[in-house]
């Protein structure tokens, strides 16, 4: 995917983490790659999203009950669309230790060419 699109997806995930966590929360951005996948995760130790509402939280314009004012309900939806456009997906899960939220963009991995194929 293009750098601008991926940057927009990342900005949306970071904005959500910062916007919905209390002061003093920790937000971690992590990138990992193996032979099968490339993963970009934004994880926080805030209040998280209950498992039963995560699928809805990715829907356009959906706002969790009790959400603070100021959001449009588009951040996760935009990130999901960008990931899909680039052949990937967005998943929401518990953060480390079951606290907070881990929003992960995942794409199929690729094998780097070895010297014999160059």
């Amino acid at each position: 995917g293009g750098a601008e699109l991926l940057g927009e997806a990342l900005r949306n995930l970071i904005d959500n983490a910062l916007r919905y966590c209390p002061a003093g929360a920790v937000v971690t951005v992590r990138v990992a790659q193996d032979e099968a996948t490339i993963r970009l995760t934004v994880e926080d130790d805030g209040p998280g999203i209950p498992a039963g509402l995560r699928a809805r939280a990715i829907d356009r314009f959906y706002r969790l009950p009790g959400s603070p004012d100021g959001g449009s309900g588009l951040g996760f939806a935009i990130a999901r669309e960008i990931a899909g456009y680039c052949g990937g997906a967005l998943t929401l899960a518990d953060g480390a230790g079951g606290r907070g939220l881990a929003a992960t963009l995942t794409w199929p991995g690729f094998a780097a060419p070895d010297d014999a194929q160059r």
Side-chain angles (χ1 to χ4, degrees), residues 32-115:
Q33 177 181 351
D34 58 31
E35 291 180 12
T37 58
I38 300 166
R39 292 174 306 284
L40 189 156
T41 301
V42 176
E43 184 175 351
D44 64 63
D45 63 354
I49 297 175
L53 294 178
R54 290 181 189 149
R56 289 282 324 269
I58 296 174
D59 290 343
R60 288 181 298 163
F61 303 112
Y62 181 76
R63 305 232 335 138
L64 292 171
S67 293
D69 293 336
S72 64
L74 288 173
F76 287 139
I78 290 169
R80 176 191 61 197
E81 290 301 313
I82 291 170
Y85 176 78
C86 299
L90 169 66
T91 57
L92 303 178
D94 287 335
R99 183 172 177 187
L101 185 73
T104 302
L105 297 167
T106 307
W107 297 275
F110 58 92
D114 62 20
D115 290 331

Side-chain angles (χ1 to χ4, degrees), residues 7-47:
E8 181 67 21
L10 180 58
R11 278 189 297 278
N12 277 286
L13 296 180
I14 292 171
D15 179 68
N16 275 354
L18 295 174
R19 180 183 305 259
Y20 298 107
C21 286
V26 175
V27 176
T28 304
V29 178
R30 188 176 299 117
V31 178
Q33 177 181 351
D34 58 31
E35 291 180 12
T37 58
I38 300 166
R39 292 174 306 284
L40 189 156
T41 301
V42 176
E43 184 175 351
D44 64 63
D45 63 354

